[in-house]
Amino acid sequence: MRTFVSALAVILALLLTGFAVPAAWTERNIVREDGFVQLTDGLGKDPAFQARLAGIAVNNIEAALELPAPAEELGASLLQDAARNMSSWPEYPHAWNETVRRSHRLNFADPAGDPASQSAPPAGQASDQSTAQATDQPTPGAAGTSLVLDLGPFVNLLKDKLQAATGVQLTVPDTAVVAIGGPSQRQVVDRLAAFAPMWWPAALGAVMALALAVLAARRRSAVLLCTGIGLAVLAGVWQAATVLFSGLAGAGLGESAMGALFARELIAASAAGFAPWIGATAVAGGVLFLMGLLGLVLLGRRKPRTAPAG
């Protein structure tokens, strides 16, 4: 009975660990705003993604741009430069980080209870919502029902550049909400926000289950050995899952070209960010395995030898 209870406790500890570790990483790097900003810091450096960001910001401000005749040529020249070289501007990293922060607040806010998700006005109008999503244009009503990027910081950056160059005061909307995923992707985000913070009860349960296994076991070294093997298996499963999930990056995620690019880069960044956690789990498993193996060897040497009969 002690062996049976110990085995069940080890299995329970491993199952809880299998949930707790990925959930803890997700809560820290996806659900939390600061972690998400750090995780996505490199996304804005992808050339194709940069071109999309610049193109949308330029198109959006052109729609609301009314410059006097003497400043039209200068404004057009600056916008052309922005479309090609915005990513090289010193203000670009700050604008990208602010875009990520705004977008995180929209995507992880409660659609029913957050005023920002309901009242955030679109930066431009599209003739049809599906057309707007397909062409990466600002989408009316996207916030709260879809995954979105708020490119308002880039639009405001362009406004400041134009004002400084032309001396003309411009008025543009503060937000430029672009849909990058539909309601199904939004539901996934809502589930992550709901379940990821539950990692700590699972982690506490795993520790308690392992303690029970050690206390109930007839051979505690065997518990350590089996737990070490289980953690190594978990690390292998997580590694295989990240490779498989990374393969989905080119499988049409997102509902627009912008969404597909963002999903691809985010999945790649997530796989790279989770890799050290996988490595730490594998190392912990190896340490427990060696401890258990050493304990079994020492226990075998301490057993008294029975004298031969006769």
Side-chain angles (χ1 to χ4, degrees):
M1 179 59 69
R2 291 176 60 186
T3 301
F4 178 73
V5 171
S6 180
L8 285 182
V10 168
I11 293 173
L12 178 61
L14 292 173
L15 290 176
L16 290 173
T17 302
F19 168 79
V21 173
W25 183 91
T26 301
E27 198 269 340
R28 178 178 177 180
N29 296 281
I30 300 294
V31 178
R32 292 186 184 181
E33 181 179 304
D34 290 339
F36 189 72
V37 171
Q38 183 177 359
L39 178 69
T40 57
D41 180 63
L43 268 67
K45 300 176 183 177
D46 178 82
F49 195 72
Q50 289 174 348
R52 288 281 177 182
L53 288 175
I56 294 172
V58 169
N59 292 337
N60 185 66
I61 202 169
E62 280 181 335
L65 191 61
E66 294 183 3
L67 290 175
E72 283 186 358
E73 184 175 352
L74 179 59
S77 175
L78 190 146
L79 291 178
Q80 290 177 1
D81 177 71
R84 295 191 301 266
N85 304 312
M86 182 187 289
S87 60
S88 64
W89 292 358
E91 302 90 348
Y92 178 88
H94 176 74
W96 169 246
N97 286 340
E98 184 62 24
T99 288
V100 172
R101 288 188 184 278
R102 288 191 183 190
S103 304
H104 187 275
R105 291 165 191 165
L106 288 174
N107 290 323
F108 283 88
D110 181 6
D114 182 43
S117 66
Q118 296 178 347
S119 61
Q125 296 295 325
S127 59
D128 179 77
Q129 180 167 337
S130 60
T131 302
Q133 291 177 344
T135 57
D136 293 331
Q137 294 303 308
T139 305
T145 59
S146 303
L147 292 183
V148 297
L149 279 178
D150 183 0
L151 302 183
F154 287 102
V155 176
N156 282 285
L157 173 59
L158 285 176
K159 180 199 72 171
D160 294 340
K161 289 281 188 180
L162 283 170
Q163 287 184 165
T166 63
V168 178
Q169 292 296 317
L170 303 174
T171 301
V172 298
D174 186 59
T175 61
V177 177
V178 177
I180 59 173
S184 59
Q185 287 88 2
R186 177 58 190 256
Q187 290 176 2
V188 173
V189 168
D190 291 340
R191 292 191 183 99
L192 286 177
F195 291 106
M198 300 300 294
W199 70 266
W200 69 266
L204 181 60
V207 172
M208 294 176 63
L210 183 59
L212 175 61
V214 172
L215 292 174
R218 296 178 60 188
R219 294 185 177 180
R220 295 174 181 176
S221 297
V223 171
L224 296 178
L225 187 144
C226 293
T227 302
I229 294 175
L231 289 177
V233 171
L234 275 180
V237 170
W238 291 337
Q239 182 62 41
T242 55
V243 172
L244 178 63
F245 194 55
S246 297
L248 297 177
L253 293 178
E255 295 194 348
S256 63
M258 171 69 80
L261 284 170
F262 186 81
R264 184 191 68 194
E265 296 300 323
L266 179 60
I267 289 174
S270 298
F274 189 50
W277 292 54
I278 296 176
T281 302
V283 169
V287 170
L288 290 178
F289 176 82
L290 292 177
M291 290 174 60
L293 184 62
L294 180 61
L296 290 177
V297 171
L298 294 178
L299 182 63
R301 290 181 177 179
R302 290 176 183 175
K303 284 185 176 181
R305 295 182 181 178
T306 57

